[in-house]
Structure formats: structure tokens, C-alpha cells
């Protein structure tokens, strides 16, 4: 058996009949004249070619390289004194008000981890395992566009989308591409300056409290969501996500819950906490992409 291979720039076809480390045994000029390659030229592997009566050749299999993540224990504690619990304030009873505030801060903490968490594990001071969950920044390693000290044009943006929109169930290779760009206000403003008649509002999404606009590119639709977390923490960044390949994962029986009356018996007051043991599953890393460095000259 051998491999039918065509050189991209010269058009020469060769038949590779043997490989020893980096040395190839080949027959050149298959149906064409010989032409020397240049450094950086690409080879197109058109397929295996077998001699009549030959054996099947070496068996091939897929080498799996599994990626993984951890769940992370997030706890937000709060409480009131005995008097505070039974005092009526202008905004209502103190404990329900503090509980709402703590729940908001807890969810913000989970959002931060979903963007910027890093996968890690270690032994804590109590001798037990501490796990850290990786987020989008940790998981997006291939399609990263560093635009530091760069003037971003719509032409460059579309060329980036050509690669970033390619893979995954929401990618252009799988039909009409459709992905979501979670972006800071700075990125949203930049895209809107280009878009003009190529951007449209999705009114139905406003009922969820999220304003979504769609950028119509030649490589698919990009739903743009302004992400307050990025405005607060990293205004130079954005994440292009194939939503078919990300999901939040909860440790069994340890989804977000409020644990009440966890104070010691002799405490004159009430203590509670919001607790979540969760992580993030990001599949097919090449289906997602990211920017960083916008405006950082």
C-alpha cells in the first residue's frame, strides 16, 4: 500500500510507499512532471493507493487524548445577630435582605469562575482535597487572537471568523454556523461600528433579561451578548462559544443550595451560607475562540 500525495503549489503527485522516521520512500511524477517544492509548501494527502493483490496494510485507530475538569466548592456565608433578625428596617427584615445580597454575590463568583477559573488540585491545610474548576479562558487555548497594540478592522475580524466559526456542531463545517460572542462593552461597540445593516436584534431574547444582537457574517451568525463580568474584570476580552459544547456540571446532590441555621448552639443570631459544588465542561476546544488585549497599546 502507499499514499497518494499532491504538492499544493506545484501540483506534482507522488506515491509514498514507505516511511522510516523522517525519511520517505516515494515515486515522483505520478501522472505529472516533477517540480521541486519550496519551504512551507503544503502536501495534500488524497488517500491510500493499493497494488493489485496486496495485503490490507497497517491497521489505524484513533488515539484518544481525554481532557477533563474538576468541580469546585464555592461557599458564601452570611448572618445576622439576634436583634438584627427581629428588627424591621426600611427595606424589610434584615435576614431576607442579606440572603438576597449573598445569593447575588455567590452567583457572581460562579460567573467569574466560568470565565477565568483554572483547573488545579492540591491538598488543603485540613488534609483534604481542594479542586479548582477551569473556565473558558483556561479551556480556550488554540483560537486565541491577541490584538494588543493592533488596529482591528472588519476585514481582520471576518478573516478571524473564517477560522473561529469553522469547527463544532455550531460551526460552518457543519452547515450554517451559529455561535455566541460573550463580549465586553468595548468589543460590542467596535462590532456595532462595523455592522450597520449586517446586525439585527433578536426581540424574543429581551424577555429573558438579555439583549442579543446577531452579526451576519459570511461564515455564519454570531449572536453578541454584552457580558457585565467582562466589563468589570477584563474589558479587553471576549469569548466566542459554541453552545453545543459547553455546560455547567454539578457534583451529584450538591447543586446550589442555601444551608440555614448553621451557627453554633451558643450564638445569639442566625448564620447561613449559599453553597455550590460545580464545574464546567468544555468540549471540542477548537470549536471555541477568544480575544484579548483590545485597547492595550
Amino acid at each position: 500500500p502507499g499514499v497518494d500525495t499532491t504538492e499544493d503549489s506545484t501540483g506534482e503527485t507522488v506515491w509514498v510507499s514507505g516511511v522510516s522516521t523522517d525519511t520517505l520512500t516515494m515515486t515522483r511524477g505520478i501522472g505529472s512532471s516533477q517540480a521541486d517544492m519550496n519551504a512551507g509548501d503544503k502536501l495534500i494527502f488524497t488517500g491510500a493507493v493499493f497494488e493489485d493483490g496486496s495485503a490490507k496494510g497497517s491497521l489505524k485507530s484513533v488515539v484518544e487524548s481525554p481532557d477533563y475538569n474538576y468541580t469546585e466548592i464555592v461557599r458564601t456565608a452570611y448572618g445576622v445577630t439576634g436583634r438584627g433578625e427581629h428588627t424591621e428596617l426600611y427595606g424589610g427584615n434584615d435576614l431576607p435582605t442579606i440572603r438576597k445580597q449573598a445569593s447575588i454575590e455567590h452567583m457572581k463568583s460562579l460567573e467569574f469562575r466560568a470565565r477565568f477559573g483554572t483547573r488545579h488540585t492540591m491538598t488543603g491545610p485540613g488534609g483534604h482535597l481542594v479542586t479548582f474548576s477551569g473556565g473558558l479562558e483556561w479551556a480556550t487555548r488554540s483560537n486565541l487572537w491577541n490584538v494588543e497594540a493592533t488596529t482591528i478592522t472588519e476585514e481582520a475580524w471576518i478573516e478571524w471568523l473564517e477560522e473561529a466559526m469553522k469547527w463544532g456542531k455550531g460551526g460552518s463545517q457543519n452547515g450554517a454556523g451559529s455561535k455566541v460572542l460573550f463580549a465586553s462593552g468595548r468589543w460590542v461597540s467596535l462590532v456595532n461600528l462595523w455592522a450597520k445593516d449586517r446586525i439585527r436584534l433578536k426581540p424574543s431574547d429581551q424577555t429573558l433579561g438579555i439583549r442579543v444582537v446577531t452579526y451576519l457574517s459570511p461564515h455564519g451568525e454570531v449572536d453578541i451578548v454584552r457580558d457585565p463580568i467582562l466589563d468589570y474584570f477584563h474589558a479587553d476580552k471576549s469569548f466566542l462559544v459554541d453552545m453545543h459544547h459547553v455546560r455547567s456540571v454539578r457534583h451529584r446532590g450538591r447543586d446550589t443550595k442555601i444551608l440555614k441555621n448553621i451557627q453554633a448552639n451558643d450564638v445569639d443570631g442566625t448564620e447561613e451560607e449559599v453553597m455550590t459544588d460545580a464545574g464546567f465542561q468544555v468540549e471540542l476546544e477548537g470549536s471555541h475562540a477568544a480575544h484579548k488585549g483590545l485597547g492595550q497599546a
Side-chain angles (χ1 to χ4, degrees):
V3 176
D4 187 8
T5 305
T6 302
E7 207 282 316
D8 185 42
S9 63
T10 67
E12 179 187 358
T13 299
V14 300
W15 185 52
V16 180
S17 56
V19 180
S20 177
T21 314
D22 293 331
T23 301
L24 305 181
T25 301
M26 65 174 64
T27 302
R28 296 190 60 183
I30 301 297
S32 63
S33 59
Q34 297 184 18
D36 292 338
M37 295 176 59
N38 298 312
D41 284 353
K42 295 181 179 180
L43 292 174
I44 302 173
F45 295 92
T46 54
V49 178
F50 289 80
E51 180 182 356
D52 184 27
S54 64
K56 62 182 178 302
S58 301
L59 297 178
K60 300 294 189 292
S61 62
V62 176
V63 177
E64 296 184 356
S65 179
D67 206 353
Y68 63 93
N69 205 354
Y70 299 111
T71 61
E72 181 174 344
I73 300 173
V74 182
R75 303 172 67 173
T76 305
Y78 56 94
V80 294
T81 65
R83 283 184 172 179
E85 184 177 2
H86 296 89
T87 300
E88 289 293 333
L89 303 176
Y90 181 78
N93 187 273
D94 202 17
L95 182 57
T97 301
I98 294 176
R99 184 183 294 138
K100 291 178 183 178
Q101 293 172 342
S103 298
I104 292 172
E105 293 302 315
H106 185 82
M107 298 308 294
K108 285 171 59 178
S109 183
L110 295 177
E111 290 283 340
F112 279 125
R113 286 166 169 81
R115 278 33 164 214
F116 307 111
T118 300
R119 186 190 71 194
H120 187 63
T121 180
M122 67 180 192
T123 301
H128 299 288
L129 190 65
V130 182
T131 52
F132 301 81
S133 185
L136 283 173
E137 186 174 51
W138 164 81
T140 307
R141 299 179 289 273
S142 299
N143 298 331
L144 177 60
W145 187 16
N146 187 349
V147 297
E148 185 175 347
T150 302
T151 300
I152 310 302
T153 64
E154 186 173 18
E155 180 181 0
W157 158 263
I158 292 175
E159 288 178 352
W160 176 77
L161 288 177
E162 180 181 354
E163 181 64 28
M165 291 290 293
K166 185 179 293 184
W167 306 114
K169 291 183 179 179
S172 57
Q173 292 286 339
N174 200 41
S178 178
K179 298 186 180 182
V180 179
L181 183 77
F182 294 94
S184 67
R186 187 179 303 174
W187 271 106
V188 172
S189 297
L190 185 61
V191 175
N192 270 270
L193 288 174
W194 300 326
K196 300 178 182 177
D197 59 345
R198 291 183 302 283
I199 201 164
R200 66 188 184 196
L201 178 66
K202 286 190 173 181
S204 60
D205 293 312
Q206 293 187 73
T207 60
L208 301 176
I210 302 175
R211 184 179 178 88
V212 178
V213 295
T214 300
Y215 177 85
L216 305 177
S217 85
H219 308 294
E221 295 186 353
V222 181
D223 289 339
I224 303 174
V225 178
R226 180 169 180 172
D227 190 342
I229 293 293
L230 296 178
D231 282 334
Y232 178 79
F233 198 70
H234 264 304
D236 67 301
K237 295 185 177 180
S238 69
F239 297 100
L240 183 70
V241 180
D242 188 333
M243 299 301 291
H244 297 89
H245 301 291
V246 293
R247 70 185 184 102
S248 177
V249 179
R250 264 55 176 174
H251 197 289
R252 181 175 297 177
R254 293 170 63 83
D255 202 346
T256 301
K257 63 185 67 177
I258 296 178
L259 305 178
K260 299 182 178 181
N261 296 314
I262 59 174
Q263 69 279 352
N265 291 333
D266 61 345
V267 171
D268 180 20
T270 299
E271 296 178 5
E272 299 180 355
E273 72 171 0
V274 188
M275 192 275 286
T276 303
D277 191 352
F280 305 95
Q281 180 174 329
V282 183
E283 304 171 336
L284 196 58
E285 188 261 342
S287 67
H288 314 290
H291 302 97
K292 72 174 183 177
L294 181 65
Q296 294 185 349

